[in-house]
């Protein structure tokens, strides 16, 4: 496999994953248009969560499908489902039918998470996987950015149905591109019992990585969800200024993911950089809590930007490690479990921390996020990774 073909497949994987992110998150930018045309806010809020519900309920199932039939078919089928569901959503005028089609679109969106990661693991050598996976992890912030720019603008100018077609058509292009451009990476013979063995039995490594990711997604979700509100309410910035800074941190976070991946390739380890990122998350969130409490805005705002970059830098490291440890016949399910845990935690952050911030304020919430990140540090399986790299003889 030449480098041009390898990188082109990475590009297709990023585009497919970005189209899923636009479908999952971009629909939420329809809230103003939906409420302006008379829909109750609670109903509109429920509608825009349907893609996320569909995604979270089927991530592991899609992982199983990838393990069974391969990456290319899933990267064509999933986006095709998004295309059909999005077109159906654009054509319906019934609220229940709209919710159902958005749910189905979310089911299709779940397909790209594991499949695009598997393509990278299969075609990139170990010393370049971290960088490649870091690039792949930029798909989410890129998708959110595309959704934020395109969906509300199209809805304002042409209506909600046309706006829903934005992620649908993007998914259609992704399906077509993956059909012609993706090649399933080679897999060892499935008759080898070691490769078919369940990596979750008799070992805690994968469970520990999942637990670390769940703990570290809390500070990430805190910053993503509440930064704009904090800047506006406590610091006193305008919504426009706060939104501009938050958007900028999304793109800086994307660069942070790439940098973390390249770093892991350079040092030949995923877990040591992951532990360092966890330590940095503790320090940055703790410092943010202190400066928010003292109202030292000159320090708190740069710390917010720094924390926004640090707290997303672990995603690609954990994702790559799960795929490498789970192996070619279990990585689909492993990545599904990884994404499910993170998405469920992320979904709980707005209501849980929203109530906590109301009762105790932002500084206390930032401190809690720092404490949870600290709890992740001893869980990172650095010693296990070092033993695996030295070989089985080192464990005896």
């Amino acid at each position: 496999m030449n480098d041009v073909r390898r990188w082109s497949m990475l590009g297709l994987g990023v585009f497919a994953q970005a189209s899923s992110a636009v479908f999952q998150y971009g629909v939420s930018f329809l809230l103003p248009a939906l409420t302006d045309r008379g829909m109750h806010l609670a109903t509109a809020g429920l509608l825009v969560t349907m893609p996320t519900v569909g995604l979270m309920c089927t991530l592991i199932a899609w992982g199983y499908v990838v393990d069974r039939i391969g990456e290319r078919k899933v990267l064509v089928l999933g986006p095709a489902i998004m295309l059909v569901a999005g077109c159906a959503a654009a054509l319906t005028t019934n609220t229940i039918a709209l919710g159902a089609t958005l749910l189905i679109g979310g089911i299709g969106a779940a397909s790209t998470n594991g499949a695009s990661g598997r393509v990278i693991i299969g075609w990139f050598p170990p010393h370049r996987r971290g960088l490649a996976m870091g690039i792949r992890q930029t798909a989410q912030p890129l998708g959110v950015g595309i959704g934020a720019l395109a969906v509300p603008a199209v809805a304002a100018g042409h209506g909600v149905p046309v706006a829903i077609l934005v992620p649908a058509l993007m998914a259609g292009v992704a399906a077509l591109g993956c059909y012609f451009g993706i090649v399933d990476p080679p897999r060892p013979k499935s008759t080898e019992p070691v490769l078919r063995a369940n990596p979750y039995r008799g070992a805690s490594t994968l469970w520990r990585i999942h637990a670390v990711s769940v703990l570290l997604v809390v500070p990430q979700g805190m910053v993503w969800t509440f930064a704009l509100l904090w800047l506006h309410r406590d610091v006193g910035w305008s919504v426009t200024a706060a939104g501009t800074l938050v958007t900028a941190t999304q793109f800086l976070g994307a660069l942070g993911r790439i940098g973390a991946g390249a770093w892991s390739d350079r040092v030949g380890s995923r877990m040591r950089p992951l532990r360092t990122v966890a330590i940095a998350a503790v320090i940055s969130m703790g410092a943010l809590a202190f400066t928010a409490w003292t109202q030292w805005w000159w320090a708190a705002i740069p710390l917010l930007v720094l924390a926004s970059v640090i707290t997303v830098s672990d995603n690609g490291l954990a994702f790559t490690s799960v795929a490498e440890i789970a192996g070619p016949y279990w990585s689909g399910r492993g990545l599904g479990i990884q994404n499910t845990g993170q998405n469920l935690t992320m979904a709980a952050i707005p209501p849980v921390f929203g109530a906590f911030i109301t009762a105790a304020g932002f500084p206390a919430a930032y401190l809690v996020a720092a404490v949870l990140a600290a709890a992740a540090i001893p869980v990172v399986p650095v010693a296990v990774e070092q033993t695996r790299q030295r070989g089985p003889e080192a464990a005896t």
Side-chain angles (χ1 to χ4, degrees), residues 310-326:
I310 290 171
T311 56
V312 300
S313 298
D314 65 288
N315 291 346
L317 299 172
F319 203 76
T320 306
S321 193
V322 166
E324 289 176 333
I325 294 170

Side-chain angles (χ1 to χ4, degrees), residues 5 28-29 31 34 55 63 76 89 98 119 140 153 158 166 186 197 221 273 275 277 300 313 333 354 392:
R5 188 64 184 275
S28 64
F29 297 114
L31 275 175
L34 290 171
L55 180 137
V76 174
L98 177 59
V119 169
Q140 186 183 52
H158 304 282
V166 171
R275 183 175 59 182
V277 169
S313 298
R333 279 162 282 189

Side-chain angles (χ1 to χ4, degrees), residues 169-360:
L169 294 177
M170 188 174 173
V173 173
L176 195 62
C178 291
Y179 178 80
F180 288 106
I182 294 293
V183 177
D184 285 342
R187 287 202 248 180
K189 291 182 179 180
S190 61
T191 53
E192 297 181 29
V194 174
L195 295 175
R196 286 290 188 181
N198 185 343
Y200 288 93
R201 289 180 183 169
S204 63
T205 305
L206 288 173
W207 291 118
R208 289 174 66 178
I209 296 171
H210 297 326
V212 168
S213 296
V214 165
L215 290 168
L216 292 181
V217 88
V218 175
Q220 175 187 328
M222 261 294 302
V223 173
W224 273 22
T225 305
F226 296 106
L228 190 146
L229 179 63
W230 175 69
L231 288 167
H232 178 60
R233 197 183 77 179
D234 283 21
V235 183
W237 283 22
S238 68
V239 172
T240 302
T244 301
L245 181 64
V246 171
T247 302
T249 62
Q250 289 279 330
F251 289 100
L252 290 173
L255 295 176
R257 297 180 190 212
I258 295 173
W263 175 26
S264 74
D265 287 340
R266 189 174 185 85
V267 301
S269 168
R270 315 296 178 204
M271 295 298 100
R272 281 184 284 136
L274 180 60
R275 183 175 59 182
T276 302
V277 169
I279 294 169
V282 174
I283 295 171
S284 61
M285 293 302 295
L288 179 59
F290 177 75
T291 53
W293 176 61
T294 57
Q295 298 186 1
W296 293 352
W297 307 133
W298 57 271
I301 293 169
L303 281 168
L304 174 69
V305 175
L306 183 63
S308 298
V309 176
I310 290 171
T311 56
V312 300
S313 298
D314 65 288
N315 291 346
L317 299 172
F319 203 76
T320 306
S321 193
V322 166
E324 289 176 333
I325 294 170
Y329 290 95
W330 272 87
S331 57
R333 279 162 282 189
L335 294 174
I337 294 170
Q338 172 77 5
N339 278 314
T340 300
Q342 287 185 302
N343 277 281
L344 286 173
T345 305
M346 189 71 81
I349 288 171
V352 172
F353 275 88
F356 185 77
I357 289 167
T358 301

Side-chain angles (χ1 to χ4, degrees), residues 120-154:
I120 292 169
I121 294 298
W123 283 121
F124 280 82
H127 66 279
R128 295 170 74 182
R129 283 178 192 158
L131 172 61
M133 194 67 82
I135 294 171
R136 182 261 182 203
Q137 292 295 98
T138 65
Q140 186 183 52
L142 287 175
V144 173
I146 292 169
L149 290 172
V151 171
V154 174

